[in-house]
Amino acid sequence: MSYNQDKIDYREFLIWKRLRNISFTIFVGSGKGGVGKSLIATTMGLILTGNSFRVGLLDLDMHGPSSLMILDIKQLPKEEKNGLVPPSINNLKVMSIGFFAKDSPLPLSGMAKREIIKELLAITDFGTLDYLIIDLPPGTGDESLAAINYIKNNRGVILVSTPSRLAQQVVKRAAIFFIDMNVKIIGLIENMVLDNDFGGTYNLARELNVPFLGYIPYDKRVAYISEINPKELTKTTFAEALQNALKKANIIH
Ligand code: ADP
């Protein structure tokens, strides 16, 4: 008689055990790369720790894991008895696929990507958290599917768009994917608005019957990830607008 190895995968039990210590998981996604998703996920983490929440950030963006660069994290996760303990900055615990990928892109099959996500969720010891923010890769590929699959008990997804019509089209596709997967859309954000020249994200939110959380202006202070000062990040116009979006989503008050 053969047995199905998946059924006895200890990592799934570990993931379940670890997730029990996390009150809310929020995904941050987009249809398309380059819309500011990672900057929003990272800054959101810092805003929440600034509001005295215990917060972790899990960067699953295999195509461009940028949270480590945004936060200027040089420390590696520490191997301890209960797993890998992520380094923190301003109390934000950060685990990223970038710790393992370094500068090289990851040419992986869908199956391998799912395995990596399972492994990361199983080995990372975030401890007890109020919020775990997950920076998803753009689009609706295997990584997004795997993350949703392992974290069924999530609070939902924040989707990031820009004033560009193309960005809205791909965000619309992503939104339909999340709705199909039974993931609640917490709301849509339109990022990188120049000179109050708003795009159609508000109308898209109405069309999809999901909340619109607001506009975030293009802010020169955050335009280049390698030049961002993580200590100043929450004091920017960008962060102020994001804070308003989080209030609208009832994540902070
Ligand atoms: P994604 O995760 O969607 O690929 P990133 O968060 O990596 O996008 O952002 C892409 C680039 O845009 C980065 O250089 C980032 O600093 C910049 N950026 C994001 N949002 C803004 C904004 N509101 N104003 C100016 N630059 C921004």
Side-chain angles (χ1 to χ4, degrees):
M1 194 178 81
S2 67
Y3 60 85
N4 182 345
Q5 230 176 349
D6 269 354
K7 287 217 167 95
I8 56 158
D9 192 334
Y10 182 67
R11 290 175 300 176
E12 290 186 12
F13 170 67
L14 255 182
I15 293 174
W16 172 79
K17 239 176 79 177
R18 293 200 194 281
L19 290 176
R20 273 193 321 181
N21 295 324
I22 296 172
S23 306
F24 297 111
T25 302
I26 294 179
F27 297 121
V28 182
S30 70
K32 190 176 171 297
V35 297
K37 172 184 57 62
S38 296
L39 193 60
I40 285 179
T42 308
T43 310
M44 186 172 153
L46 293 174
I47 291 173
L48 288 174
T49 58
N51 278 266
S52 306
F53 289 112
R54 294 163 295 183
V55 192
L57 172 68
L58 178 62
D59 180 359
L60 292 182
D61 190 345
M62 296 186 192
H63 307 275
S66 38
S67 57
L68 301 180
M69 206 190 256
I70 295 170
L71 295 170
D72 197 24
I73 294 180
K74 305 255 164 30
Q75 252 176 299
L76 289 173
K78 267 206 206 112
E79 208 176 330
E80 290 190 5
K81 202 172 87 237
N82 291 325
L84 282 184
V85 176
S88 339
I89 169 158
N90 284 12
N91 292 326
L92 175 65
K93 298 179 178 179
V94 185
M95 178 54 104
S96 168
I97 206 108
F99 284 126
F100 311 97
K102 296 289 170 209
D103 297 330
S104 48
L106 287 171
L108 296 168
S109 69
M111 175 73 174
K113 286 179 191 166
R114 279 197 296 275
E115 279 296 303
I116 290 181
I117 287 171
K118 190 194 264 189
E119 190 74 26
L120 260 187
L121 285 169
I123 58 173
T124 308
D125 184 13
F126 280 110
T128 304
L129 294 181
D130 299 308
Y131 283 103
L132 175 64
I133 298 161
I134 302 200
D135 182 0
L136 289 174
T140 54
D142 290 287
E143 304 100 296
S144 299
L145 266 174
I148 294 166
N149 221 359
Y150 292 121
I151 311 176
K152 290 217 171 62
N153 190 13
N154 56 73
R155 180 152 169 186
V157 62
I158 291 178
L159 287 173
V160 183
S161 184
T162 70
S164 127
R165 290 245 308 269
L166 177 63
Q168 284 143 38
Q169 268 171 24
V170 281
V171 163
K172 181 175 177 178
R173 245 179 284 140
I176 292 169
F177 162 81
F178 285 107
I179 292 167
D180 281 350
M181 299 294 294
N182 277 326
V183 175
K184 182 181 157 199
I185 314 268
I186 297 171
L188 305 190
I189 290 179
E190 184 169 297
N191 185 29
M192 300 205 211
V193 176
L194 252 177
D195 302 328
N196 285 343
D197 202 357
F198 306 118
T201 312
Y202 171 80
N203 287 336
L204 175 61
R206 287 193 61 171
E207 182 190 330
L208 293 165
N209 201 17
V210 299
F212 177 67
L213 301 179
Y215 299 99
I216 299 184
Y218 183 88
D219 178 353
K220 272 194 192 147
R221 281 177 78 188
V222 301
Y224 302 104
I225 276 178
S226 53
E227 291 170 15
I228 293 172
N229 176 349
K231 299 227 157 46
E232 297 287 314
L233 189 50
T234 52
K235 297 175 194 147
T236 57
T237 313
F238 167 85
E240 205 179 300
L242 177 59
Q243 199 153 344
N244 288 335
L246 297 180
K247 282 184 186 160
K248 208 153 184 197
N250 280 323
I251 294 172
I252 55 172
H253 296 288

PDB file of all heavy atoms in Angstrom, residues 109-127:
ATOM      1  N   SER A 109       9.820  26.484 -10.795  1.00  0.00           N
ATOM      2  CA  SER A 109       8.537  25.967 -11.268  1.00  0.00           C
ATOM      3  C   SER A 109       7.460  26.317 -10.242  1.00  0.00           C
ATOM      4  O   SER A 109       7.771  26.658  -9.091  1.00  0.00           O
ATOM      5  CB  SER A 109       8.617  24.453 -11.396  1.00  0.00           C
ATOM      6  OG  SER A 109       8.718  23.887 -10.108  1.00  0.00           O
ATOM      7  N   GLY A 110       6.208  26.202 -10.655  1.00  0.00           N
ATOM      8  CA  GLY A 110       5.104  26.492  -9.746  1.00  0.00           C
ATOM      9  C   GLY A 110       5.169  25.644  -8.491  1.00  0.00           C
ATOM     10  O   GLY A 110       4.971  26.123  -7.374  1.00  0.00           O
ATOM     11  N   MET A 111       5.512  24.390  -8.679  1.00  0.00           N
ATOM     12  CA  MET A 111       5.602  23.444  -7.562  1.00  0.00           C
ATOM     13  C   MET A 111       6.684  23.881  -6.579  1.00  0.00           C
ATOM     14  O   MET A 111       6.489  23.887  -5.363  1.00  0.00           O
ATOM     15  CB  MET A 111       5.947  22.056  -8.162  1.00  0.00           C
ATOM     16  CG  MET A 111       6.184  20.986  -7.158  1.00  0.00           C
ATOM     17  SD  MET A 111       4.626  20.520  -6.424  1.00  0.00           S
ATOM     18  CE  MET A 111       5.154  19.152  -5.449  1.00  0.00           C
ATOM     19  N   ALA A 112       7.862  24.278  -7.131  1.00  0.00           N
ATOM     20  CA  ALA A 112       8.974  24.700  -6.278  1.00  0.00           C
ATOM     21  C   ALA A 112       8.588  25.956  -5.499  1.00  0.00           C
ATOM     22  O   ALA A 112       8.922  26.100  -4.313  1.00  0.00           O
ATOM     23  CB  ALA A 112      10.213  24.949  -7.127  1.00  0.00           C
ATOM     24  N   LYS A 113       7.857  26.866  -6.155  1.00  0.00           N
ATOM     25  CA  LYS A 113       7.437  28.091  -5.467  1.00  0.00           C
ATOM     26  C   LYS A 113       6.515  27.764  -4.303  1.00  0.00           C
ATOM     27  O   LYS A 113       6.640  28.329  -3.210  1.00  0.00           O
ATOM     28  CB  LYS A 113       6.709  29.015  -6.450  1.00  0.00           C
ATOM     29  CG  LYS A 113       7.641  29.700  -7.433  1.00  0.00           C
ATOM     30  CD  LYS A 113       6.838  30.565  -8.362  1.00  0.00           C
ATOM     31  CE  LYS A 113       7.696  31.046  -9.508  1.00  0.00           C
ATOM     32  NZ  LYS A 113       6.888  31.612 -10.582  1.00  0.00           N
ATOM     33  N   ARG A 114       5.598  26.832  -4.533  1.00  0.00           N
ATOM     34  CA  ARG A 114       4.676  26.446  -3.450  1.00  0.00           C
ATOM     35  C   ARG A 114       5.453  25.844  -2.278  1.00  0.00           C
ATOM     36  O   ARG A 114       5.176  26.110  -1.127  1.00  0.00           O
ATOM     37  CB  ARG A 114       3.656  25.419  -3.958  1.00  0.00           C
ATOM     38  CG  ARG A 114       2.510  26.068  -4.706  1.00  0.00           C
ATOM     39  CD  ARG A 114       1.334  25.107  -4.822  1.00  0.00           C
ATOM     40  NE  ARG A 114       1.642  23.923  -5.607  1.00  0.00           N
ATOM     41  CZ  ARG A 114       1.548  23.865  -6.932  1.00  0.00           C
ATOM     42  NH1 ARG A 114       1.160  24.914  -7.615  1.00  0.00           N
ATOM     43  NH2 ARG A 114       1.844  22.769  -7.575  1.00  0.00           N
ATOM     44  N   GLU A 115       6.470  25.041  -2.617  1.00  0.00           N
ATOM     45  CA  GLU A 115       7.289  24.412  -1.572  1.00  0.00           C
ATOM     46  C   GLU A 115       8.029  25.458  -0.749  1.00  0.00           C
ATOM     47  O   GLU A 115       8.128  25.364   0.469  1.00  0.00           O
ATOM     48  CB  GLU A 115       8.310  23.453  -2.208  1.00  0.00           C
ATOM     49  CG  GLU A 115       7.734  22.109  -2.571  1.00  0.00           C
ATOM     50  CD  GLU A 115       7.262  21.329  -1.343  1.00  0.00           C
ATOM     51  OE1 GLU A 115       8.061  21.091  -0.436  1.00  0.00           O
ATOM     52  OE2 GLU A 115       6.068  20.976  -1.303  1.00  0.00           O
ATOM     53  N   ILE A 116       8.566  26.483  -1.435  1.00  0.00           N
ATOM     54  CA  ILE A 116       9.317  27.527  -0.727  1.00  0.00           C
ATOM     55  C   ILE A 116       8.406  28.267   0.242  1.00  0.00           C
ATOM     56  O   ILE A 116       8.767  28.550   1.383  1.00  0.00           O
ATOM     57  CB  ILE A 116       9.943  28.527  -1.729  1.00  0.00           C
ATOM     58  CG1 ILE A 116      11.062  27.835  -2.499  1.00  0.00           C
ATOM     59  CG2 ILE A 116      10.477  29.764  -1.016  1.00  0.00           C
ATOM     60  CD1 ILE A 116      11.763  28.710  -3.493  1.00  0.00           C
ATOM     61  N   ILE A 117       7.199  28.553  -0.219  1.00  0.00           N
ATOM     62  CA  ILE A 117       6.263  29.283   0.638  1.00  0.00           C
ATOM     63  C   ILE A 117       5.871  28.437   1.847  1.00  0.00           C
ATOM     64  O   ILE A 117       5.833  28.914   2.984  1.00  0.00           O
ATOM     65  CB  ILE A 117       5.045  29.734  -0.190  1.00  0.00           C
ATOM     66  CG1 ILE A 117       5.525  30.872  -1.086  1.00  0.00           C
ATOM     67  CG2 ILE A 117       3.891  30.185   0.692  1.00  0.00           C
ATOM     68  CD1 ILE A 117       4.564  31.312  -2.103  1.00  0.00           C
ATOM     69  N   LYS A 118       5.651  27.168   1.601  1.00  0.00           N
ATOM     70  CA  LYS A 118       5.308  26.265   2.699  1.00  0.00           C
ATOM     71  C   LYS A 118       6.454  26.230   3.714  1.00  0.00           C
ATOM     72  O   LYS A 118       6.251  26.353   4.921  1.00  0.00           O
ATOM     73  CB  LYS A 118       5.062  24.856   2.139  1.00  0.00           C
ATOM     74  CG  LYS A 118       4.478  23.903   3.146  1.00  0.00           C
ATOM     75  CD  LYS A 118       4.570  22.479   2.678  1.00  0.00           C
ATOM     76  CE  LYS A 118       3.304  22.007   2.007  1.00  0.00           C
ATOM     77  NZ  LYS A 118       3.313  20.555   1.736  1.00  0.00           N
ATOM     78  N   GLU A 119       7.660  26.104   3.191  1.00  0.00           N
ATOM     79  CA  GLU A 119       8.851  26.024   4.045  1.00  0.00           C
ATOM     80  C   GLU A 119       9.007  27.312   4.874  1.00  0.00           C
ATOM     81  O   GLU A 119       9.229  27.256   6.084  1.00  0.00           O
ATOM     82  CB  GLU A 119      10.074  25.829   3.124  1.00  0.00           C
ATOM     83  CG  GLU A 119      11.359  25.480   3.825  1.00  0.00           C
ATOM     84  CD  GLU A 119      11.383  24.048   4.339  1.00  0.00           C
ATOM     85  OE1 GLU A 119      10.682  23.194   3.762  1.00  0.00           O
ATOM     86  OE2 GLU A 119      12.108  23.803   5.325  1.00  0.00           O
ATOM     87  N   LEU A 120       8.864  28.461   4.204  1.00  0.00           N
ATOM     88  CA  LEU A 120       9.028  29.745   4.906  1.00  0.00           C
ATOM     89  C   LEU A 120       7.992  29.896   6.020  1.00  0.00           C
ATOM     90  O   LEU A 120       8.315  30.324   7.130  1.00  0.00           O
ATOM     91  CB  LEU A 120       8.845  30.901   3.925  1.00  0.00           C
ATOM     92  CG  LEU A 120      10.091  31.566   3.369  1.00  0.00           C
ATOM     93  CD1 LEU A 120       9.699  32.794   2.569  1.00  0.00           C
ATOM     94  CD2 LEU A 120      11.058  31.971   4.475  1.00  0.00           C
ATOM     95  N   LEU A 121       6.748  29.537   5.703  1.00  0.00           N
ATOM     96  CA  LEU A 121       5.694  29.651   6.711  1.00  0.00           C
ATOM     97  C   LEU A 121       5.940  28.685   7.865  1.00  0.00           C
ATOM     98  O   LEU A 121       5.644  28.988   9.018  1.00  0.00           O
ATOM     99  CB  LEU A 121       4.323  29.368   6.089  1.00  0.00           C
ATOM    100  CG  LEU A 121       3.742  30.482   5.214  1.00  0.00           C
ATOM    101  CD1 LEU A 121       2.526  29.972   4.451  1.00  0.00           C
ATOM    102  CD2 LEU A 121       3.349  31.688   6.073  1.00  0.00           C
ATOM    103  N   ALA A 122       6.508  27.526   7.539  1.00  0.00           N
ATOM    104  CA  ALA A 122       6.726  26.524   8.584  1.00  0.00           C
ATOM    105  C   ALA A 122       7.923  26.851   9.472  1.00  0.00           C
ATOM    106  O   ALA A 122       7.884  26.621  10.685  1.00  0.00           O
ATOM    107  CB  ALA A 122       6.893  25.140   7.954  1.00  0.00           C
ATOM    108  N   ILE A 123       8.985  27.410   8.894  1.00  0.00           N
ATOM    109  CA  ILE A 123      10.194  27.609   9.712  1.00  0.00           C
ATOM    110  C   ILE A 123      10.239  28.953  10.436  1.00  0.00           C
ATOM    111  O   ILE A 123      10.973  29.113  11.399  1.00  0.00           O
ATOM    112  CB  ILE A 123      11.516  27.476   8.904  1.00  0.00           C
ATOM    113  CG1 ILE A 123      11.553  28.461   7.746  1.00  0.00           C
ATOM    114  CG2 ILE A 123      11.753  26.056   8.438  1.00  0.00           C
ATOM    115  CD1 ILE A 123      12.891  28.496   7.022  1.00  0.00           C
ATOM    116  N   THR A 124       9.447  29.936   9.973  1.00  0.00           N
ATOM    117  CA  THR A 124       9.578  31.263  10.576  1.00  0.00           C
ATOM    118  C   THR A 124       8.836  31.348  11.899  1.00  0.00           C
ATOM    119  O   THR A 124       7.645  31.068  11.977  1.00  0.00           O
ATOM    120  CB  THR A 124       9.027  32.347   9.625  1.00  0.00           C
ATOM    121  OG1 THR A 124       9.638  32.168   8.359  1.00  0.00           O
ATOM    122  CG2 THR A 124       9.340  33.734  10.145  1.00  0.00           C
ATOM    123  N   ASP A 125       9.565  31.765  12.915  1.00  0.00           N
ATOM    124  CA  ASP A 125       8.970  31.905  14.232  1.00  0.00           C
ATOM    125  C   ASP A 125       8.700  33.396  14.501  1.00  0.00           C
ATOM    126  O   ASP A 125       9.546  34.099  15.045  1.00  0.00           O
ATOM    127  CB  ASP A 125       9.919  31.319  15.287  1.00  0.00           C
ATOM    128  CG  ASP A 125       9.298  31.364  16.668  1.00  0.00           C
ATOM    129  OD1 ASP A 125       8.078  31.609  16.763  1.00  0.00           O
ATOM    130  OD2 ASP A 125      10.035  31.151  17.643  1.00  0.00           O
ATOM    131  N   PHE A 126       7.517  33.839  14.099  1.00  0.00           N
ATOM    132  CA  PHE A 126       7.150  35.237  14.342  1.00  0.00           C
ATOM    133  C   PHE A 126       6.697  35.432  15.795  1.00  0.00           C
ATOM    134  O   PHE A 126       6.559  36.555  16.259  1.00  0.00           O
ATOM    135  CB  PHE A 126       5.996  35.657  13.421  1.00  0.00           C
ATOM    136  CG  PHE A 126       6.402  36.007  12.017  1.00  0.00           C
ATOM    137  CD1 PHE A 126       6.066  35.190  10.952  1.00  0.00           C
ATOM    138  CD2 PHE A 126       7.111  37.169  11.749  1.00  0.00           C
ATOM    139  CE1 PHE A 126       6.419  35.520   9.651  1.00  0.00           C
ATOM    140  CE2 PHE A 126       7.466  37.519  10.450  1.00  0.00           C
ATOM    141  CZ  PHE A 126       7.118  36.683   9.397  1.00  0.00           C
ATOM    142  N   GLY A 127       6.418  34.330  16.476  1.00  0.00           N
ATOM    143  CA  GLY A 127       5.890  34.446  17.832  1.00  0.00           C
ATOM    144  C   GLY A 127       4.441  34.918  17.779  1.00  0.00           C
ATOM    145  O   GLY A 127       3.731  34.680  16.800  1.00  0.00           O
TER     146      GLY A 127
END
